[in-house]
Amino acid sequence: PPQATGTMGLHGDLAASEILEQVALLTRHECSQGRPAPRNIVFMGMGEPLANYDAVSEAVEKLCDPFHFAFRRRGVTVSTVGVAPSLKKLTREHPDVRVALSLHAPTQTLRERIVPASKRWPLDELLEALDDHLSATEKRHKRSASGLMIEYVLLKGVNDRDEDADALAALLRGRNVMLNLIPYNPNVTAALHGFEAPEEATCRAFGKRVINRGLRVRLRQEFG
């Protein structure tokens, strides 16, 4: 996978209390510096949140409990590489929580190369879970300017070609999503998998191509 932490292997899962402790410590630090407490939380980074579903679910409940952290449910986002069964469960149990899906490829074959975990949850199964979520949250996303977030890391010569843009647009057309294009930031995976960062012009051309085919797009800018 293009994320460096994906090469570290699994050493254990956080308990709900450990997740909440991070939020408590961050809140205390920000307030001690005279800054407001955080009002938005994203579950992502080191590990797959939906592979640790029970702990994440319990943490979400406590974060949104008015007698604990009192976050708005729409201020909580769960990022996932696509654990389809757990995504369906999240939709049933926490329909107001936002979801960000790390897609990274428009076909199953290419996705297996970039995201090895996708061999366990094929693209068609993942899209079924995605459609379940979009259907359950249709009213909310219609009021939103963004829709559900689809993350797509652009890798030079791997998934940033014209044919990839066309396939991605065809895959997502008609779904209320926002495509977040992220130029690859070279890390340890560059040596392991031969990944390279695309040129800025390529990223912009990719974004323009999928926009012209009906998708809404954001292109992440690099600031060093």
Side-chain angles (χ1 to χ4, degrees):
Q3 292 83 8
T5 53
T7 66
M8 297 171 64
L10 178 64
H11 295 276
D13 290 324
L14 292 178
S17 58
E18 293 173 311
I19 297 171
L20 296 170
E21 182 181 39
Q22 294 183 46
V23 181
L25 289 173
L26 175 61
T27 299
R28 185 172 68 179
H29 173 76
E30 291 300 291
C31 292
S32 72
Q33 301 300 311
R35 295 188 288 263
R39 301 310 306 152
N40 298 288
I41 292 289
V42 181
F43 287 82
M44 66 179 305
M46 297 179 69
E48 164 57 48
L50 292 187
N52 188 23
Y53 183 85
D54 290 343
V56 168
S57 178
E58 183 181 345
V60 167
E61 283 297 324
K62 292 293 193 302
L63 286 170
C64 299
D65 187 327
F67 295 102
H68 287 83
F69 290 85
F71 278 85
R72 297 174 304 113
R73 289 190 178 273
R74 295 177 188 177
V76 177
T77 299
V78 176
S79 177
T80 178
V81 77
V83 183
S86 294
L87 177 54
K88 288 184 175 182
K89 191 173 183 180
L90 183 75
T91 298
R92 291 194 306 270
E93 298 182 354
H94 304 286
D96 291 327
V97 167
R98 296 182 181 275
V99 170
L101 174 62
S102 296
L103 186 62
H104 304 319
T107 67
Q108 177 64 22
T109 300
L110 183 55
R111 196 162 190 264
E112 287 183 12
R113 176 184 172 190
I114 300 172
V115 186
S118 64
K119 296 175 183 177
R120 186 171 179 182
W121 297 287
L123 190 56
D124 56 349
E125 184 180 345
L126 176 56
L127 290 176
E128 180 184 336
L130 174 63
D131 287 340
D132 283 350
H133 182 82
L134 290 173
S135 177
T137 59
E138 181 178 9
K139 290 184 179 179
R140 187 187 81 204
H141 285 306
K142 280 186 175 179
R143 295 193 300 267
S144 171
S146 61
L148 185 144
M149 186 69 72
I150 300 291
E151 309 282 4
Y152 193 98
V153 173
L154 289 164
L155 302 164
K156 182 178 180 180
V158 177
N159 66 351
D160 67 343
R161 302 160 298 179
D162 287 349
E163 55 264 40
D164 299 317
D166 293 345
L168 182 63
L171 183 73
L172 298 177
R173 187 176 295 120
R175 293 181 166 97
N176 189 16
V177 299
M178 170 65 74
L179 180 64
N180 187 26
L181 296 177
I182 308 167
Y184 173 63
N185 182 28
N187 53 58
V188 65
T189 62
L192 290 173
H193 303 290
F195 293 151
E196 297 180 52
E199 300 293 332
E200 181 179 350
T202 301
C203 298
R204 292 187 176 279
F206 189 100
K208 183 176 181 180
R209 194 172 183 94
V210 291
I211 287 172
N212 289 340
R213 283 154 178 77
L215 297 189
R216 290 177 293 172
V217 176
R218 291 175 181 167
L219 175 60
R220 184 176 297 181
Q221 300 295 310
E222 294 182 286
F223 295 97

